[in-house]
Amino acid sequence: MSKAEMTIQARPAAAAKTGGRRWKLVRGNLDMYALLLPGLVFLLLFKYTPMYGILIAFQDFNIFAGIKGSEWVGLEQFRKLIHSDEFLQVLFNTLLISLYKIVILFPIPIVLALFLNEVRRMFFKRTIQTIIYLPHFLSWVIISGLFINILSPSGGLVNEVIRSLGGQPVSFLTENDWFRSVVVFTAGWKEIGWNAIVFIAAIAGIDQEQYEAAAIDGAGRIRQMISISLPGMLPTIMLMFILRIGSLLEAGTEQILTMYNPLVYDSGDVIGTFVYRMGLGQQDYSFSTAVGLFNSAVGFLLIVIGNMLSRKFLQRSIW
Amino acid sequence: MRGKKIGDYALDSVIYICLTLMGLATLLPFANVLSKSISEEWAIVAGKVGIIPVGFQLDTMRFVVTSSQFLHALFISALVAVIGTLASLLVTAMTAYPLSKRELPGTGALIVLFIFTMMFNGGIIPNYLLIRQLDLINNLGSLILPALVSVFNMLVVKSYFESLPPSLEESAKLEGARNYTILFRIILPLSGPVLATIGLFYAVYYWNDYFNPMLYINSSSLKPLQLYLQDIVMNADTSSALSADDLMNVPAEGVRSATVIASTIPILLVYPFLQKYFIKGVLIGSVKG
């Protein structure tokens, strides 16, 4: 009997059969199962009951009749979905914003971590880290409040600068040409510093002897960054990238909800905000649940594929 | 040798300049909005306020932080954050402890059930309909119960429990202590750092949560700070959030700026703790994958 098993049993078990032993374990630890009860109720009620609620995506759901009393329509909602120009636009916006965020914002924290690693003045390093981690802890409502303020066409800082340089003020948050850029920029402003942390930790885990050996061989600091630090971070970079791809369809629902307005629906409406508008705004419950299911299913698929890639190339599972 | 030194010097210059610019870019919006909230009204209206205040007055700020709606929203947010965090910590620990015992029948299957919910969920509408069915619309429970256990946090606590030496529990077992006594008397008192870390995760989540209140709360007497702030920021006309005689001579732009700043202050006050424990937490998460 292992040590771990000793700790779990209330009384030493003498049963020879494994079935009997398992039963003894259960009976001897009934209070363990009692401890699990609140978490289990939570899991079933708030996680699995909504999954059952997905059934309304296959119905013409009537809120007064409930799931049992509503009419089944099969895949009708999904047919509507793929023929909806609005949905296709929303999908396009989601993918575009997400891809911008990945292509532009994924590499910056890596470079940032490399840069911070080269800083030898600890006071400077700590000060910069303290400043750039801060926005991570602020809600999107506050961040949007800040940027709506400084991007405002009437008296906002950015437009005052544009005006003083002789340009025309730009209404960044109400013009479709600008809205996505603002979304990507503000997401970067909030999270770039924070996202560097895992990479900083990855560099810290690299064996210092490698740097010493390279220095003896005459490698300069840039050479060391490229030939030692970067390859040393590679497993972390790949893992983070796989996880990032897993949330491809999450283009920043909460962020966009706090920033957008009907003038920029064409460029800024993404799956999350669309589900919210269709479901709670127009009370088209079945259709918006179908959109939500599409979202969850693709997300699930991406994570499963990501995990397969992670197992194959990094020999480690995401979960 | 000399060439290398010049190269190092150039590299350092590039790094220090980039990092300084990044730091300034992070501070700039705060500086601007802070200036606006303490500048004179005429200067704000004329668009003359940059990062340095023009004139100086605290009337706007005083008006904002003494407004009864602001204080009420602050109170609601604090209430949800405190109760939510305590409840979440308790249930998370109670769930993680049995699940950390691999030999206990059924734990393996339960862990799979928990992890599955990290990858797949019912989505916004089924969640909304559930809250409605439970009669939790316009009830602060709707802000806490659906977020009671974060599976990620639970797994962090579970792996911490697994890392504790079994000998801690063995002697108590021999003396006939029950499992819940061991959890509350022996294990939890030793789990200070991990509980602090995930407690802060939960607290920041509850404090910053905007999505759930937006879905489930529409009674103005139950609006938490984030919802109140959104009303002020988004409505060009501040009057909808402020009563008529409150308005008097306070400039809308100044009020909005001051509300944003006032809402940032609670986070700034706890930021030193956040920085310390969050970094630990994020690293536990990434190491355990």
Side-chain angles (χ1 to χ4, degrees):
Chain A
M1 186 179 292
S2 76
K3 264 191 168 180
E5 282 168 20
M6 274 294 292
T7 66
I8 195 74
Q9 275 175 293
R11 283 164 234 107
K17 282 188 233 152
T18 47
R21 210 171 60 93
R22 279 175 70 87
W23 179 235
K24 264 238 153 71
L25 266 174
V26 172
R27 261 204 334 201
N29 293 288
L30 283 179
D31 59 338
M32 277 295 207
Y33 294 98
L35 284 173
L36 267 175
L37 210 59
L40 200 58
V41 170
F42 162 80
L43 185 70
L44 295 179
L45 188 57
F46 290 104
K47 297 287 182 185
Y48 281 93
T49 313
M51 288 187 205
Y52 166 73
I54 288 176
L55 285 178
I56 69 176
F58 305 96
Q59 293 187 321
D60 184 8
F61 182 68
N62 177 330
I63 196 159
F64 300 107
I67 294 183
K68 286 196 181 107
S70 294
E71 190 196 342
W72 293 90
V73 296
L75 295 175
E76 178 58 32
Q77 303 295 352
F78 294 90
R79 200 167 304 133
K80 231 165 95 187
L81 190 124
I82 52 174
H83 289 120
S84 153
D85 289 341
E86 205 178 1
F87 173 72
L88 292 179
Q89 179 68 42
V90 162
L91 186 61
F92 174 77
N93 292 343
T94 308
L95 290 173
L96 199 60
I97 291 175
S98 232
L99 286 175
Y100 280 152
K101 281 185 174 176
I102 292 173
V103 171
I104 300 170
L105 301 183
F106 188 80
I108 298 177
I110 299 169
V111 176
L112 179 61
L114 287 171
F115 277 15
L116 278 167
N117 186 52
E118 295 298 319
V119 174
R120 292 286 166 268
R121 290 166 206 259
M122 289 318 280
F123 177 75
F124 179 80
K125 188 172 172 176
R126 287 224 187 86
T127 309
I128 291 291
Q129 282 177 306
T130 302
I131 293 171
I132 63 180
Y133 294 163
L134 176 65
H136 170 77
F137 295 100
L138 301 176
S139 68
W140 269 116
V141 183
I142 290 183
I143 310 277
S144 299
L146 286 173
F147 279 92
I148 287 171
N149 210 315
I150 73 167
L151 294 176
S152 155
S154 55
L157 183 63
V158 174
N159 275 310
E160 286 307 315
V161 172
I162 292 176
R163 219 182 306 243
S164 69
L165 295 174
Q168 284 295 313
V170 179
S171 181
F172 292 98
L173 288 157
T174 55
E175 277 179 25
N176 282 304
D177 290 344
W178 280 101
F179 188 75
R180 289 190 198 116
S181 308
V182 174
V183 167
V184 175
F185 180 85
T186 50
W189 185 85
K190 188 177 194 287
E191 301 293 348
I192 277 176
W194 186 255
N195 289 344
I197 290 179
V198 283
F199 300 118
I200 293 171
I203 297 179
I206 298 172
D207 188 0
Q208 286 303 312
E209 282 176 24
Q210 289 191 45
Y211 292 101
E212 285 155 23
I216 291 167
D217 289 345
R221 278 164 57 205
I222 297 178
R223 183 83 224 177
Q224 292 179 22
M225 274 164 84
I226 296 169
S227 303
I228 302 175
S229 301
L230 207 53
M233 293 159 84
L234 204 59
T236 308
I237 293 175
M238 283 175 69
L239 184 69
M240 288 293 141
F241 189 72
I242 287 170
L243 288 173
R244 184 65 191 81
I245 296 292
S247 54
L248 186 70
L249 290 191
E250 177 42 74
T253 306
E254 196 165 334
Q255 173 190 15
I256 292 173
L257 274 176
T258 57
M259 281 187 176
Y260 83 163
N261 51 70
L263 291 172
V264 287
Y265 281 172
D266 282 348
S267 62
D269 208 11
V270 295
I271 291 179
T273 56
F274 182 64
V275 171
Y276 171 71
R277 287 199 303 117
M278 287 294 121
L280 301 182
Q282 306 192 9
Q283 289 170 9
D284 195 344
Y285 295 119
S286 284
F287 180 66
S288 50
T289 303
V291 178
L293 176 57
F294 170 82
N295 190 19
S296 306
V298 173
F300 181 70
L301 209 66
L302 287 172
I303 293 184
V304 171
I305 294 172
N307 193 50
M308 275 162 51
L309 292 176
S310 172
R311 271 197 192 153
K312 185 159 179 213
F313 295 110
L314 304 172
Q315 281 78 49
R316 94 191 233 194
S317 172
I318 295 175
W319 53 80
Chain B
M1 251 346 246
R2 235 190 112 177
K4 205 169 127 192
K5 273 205 178 129
I6 293 170
D8 279 358
Y9 187 70
L11 178 68
D12 271 337
S13 311
V14 170
I15 287 174
Y16 279 83
I17 289 170
C18 283
L19 291 177
T20 306
L21 285 178
M22 203 175 153
L24 291 178
T26 308
L27 290 178
L28 184 76
F30 292 109
N32 178 236
V33 177
L34 179 64
S35 303
K36 275 190 180 171
S37 62
I38 55 179
S39 291
E40 301 284 355
E41 182 189 348
W42 63 266
I44 301 171
V45 176
K48 293 229 179 306
V49 181
I51 53 171
I52 297 162
V54 178
F56 179 75
Q57 51 84 24
L58 285 175
D59 292 340
T60 318
M61 196 56 103
R62 196 174 299 127
F63 167 78
V64 165
V65 299
T66 55
S67 116
S68 58
Q69 285 103 322
F70 175 81
L71 291 173
H72 190 72
L74 196 68
F75 169 73
I76 298 283
S77 281
L79 190 72
V80 170
V82 169
I83 295 178
T85 303
L86 292 176
S88 288
L89 276 177
L90 181 69
V91 179
T92 302
M94 282 167 67
T95 310
Y97 184 59
L99 295 186
S100 70
K101 307 293 176 196
R102 274 154 214 247
E103 61 287 351
L104 200 66
T107 50
L110 272 178
I111 291 171
V112 172
L113 278 183
F114 271 101
I115 290 181
F116 180 70
T117 67
M118 293 174 96
M119 300 183 283
F120 190 84
N121 61 67
I124 300 173
I125 303 302
N127 274 301
Y128 172 80
L129 294 174
L130 172 69
I131 294 295
R132 219 183 109 114
Q133 192 121 49
L134 294 172
D135 218 2
L136 286 174
I137 299 288
N138 279 326
N139 181 323
L140 293 181
S142 67
L143 307 186
I144 296 175
L145 293 173
L148 197 59
V149 178
S150 137
V151 178
F152 176 84
N153 290 350
M154 194 271 288
L155 294 176
V156 168
V157 177
K158 173 180 151 295
S159 54
Y160 178 83
F161 288 163
E162 282 164 355
S163 72
L164 293 171
S167 57
L168 284 172
E169 301 171 24
E170 275 161 20
S171 54
K173 280 279 184 191
L174 290 174
E175 288 166 22
R178 304 291 301 171
N179 289 307
Y180 60 84
T181 316
I182 294 176
L183 172 64
F184 289 109
R185 291 281 161 79
I186 299 175
I187 302 294
L188 287 188
L190 289 170
S191 307
V194 77
L195 293 180
T197 303
I198 67 150
L200 285 170
F201 274 145
Y202 279 126
V204 170
Y205 167 81
Y206 284 121
W207 183 267
N208 282 342
D209 184 22
Y210 162 72
F211 202 65
N212 283 335
M214 187 193 62
L215 291 176
Y216 307 138
I217 304 288
N218 42 46
S219 148
S220 61
S221 66
L222 290 174
K223 278 188 180 173
L225 188 62
Q226 308 300 334
L227 221 47
Y228 171 79
L229 182 62
Q230 178 73 355
D231 284 351
I232 298 245
V233 168
M234 275 305 210
N235 294 336
D237 172 22
T238 20
S239 58
S240 62
L242 306 167
S243 62
D245 37 315
D246 272 352
L247 267 172
M248 294 189 303
N249 291 320
V250 187
E253 186 76 16
V255 168
R256 254 180 291 167
S257 305
T259 311
V260 171
I261 293 298
S263 309
T264 311
I265 290 171
I267 292 282
L268 283 182
L269 291 178
V270 292
Y271 184 49
F273 302 99
L274 293 180
Q275 211 191 348
K276 187 172 161 207
Y277 286 105
F278 256 70
I279 292 173
K280 261 186 217 158
V282 97
L283 294 180
I284 299 171
S286 65
V287 170
K288 294 285 168 195

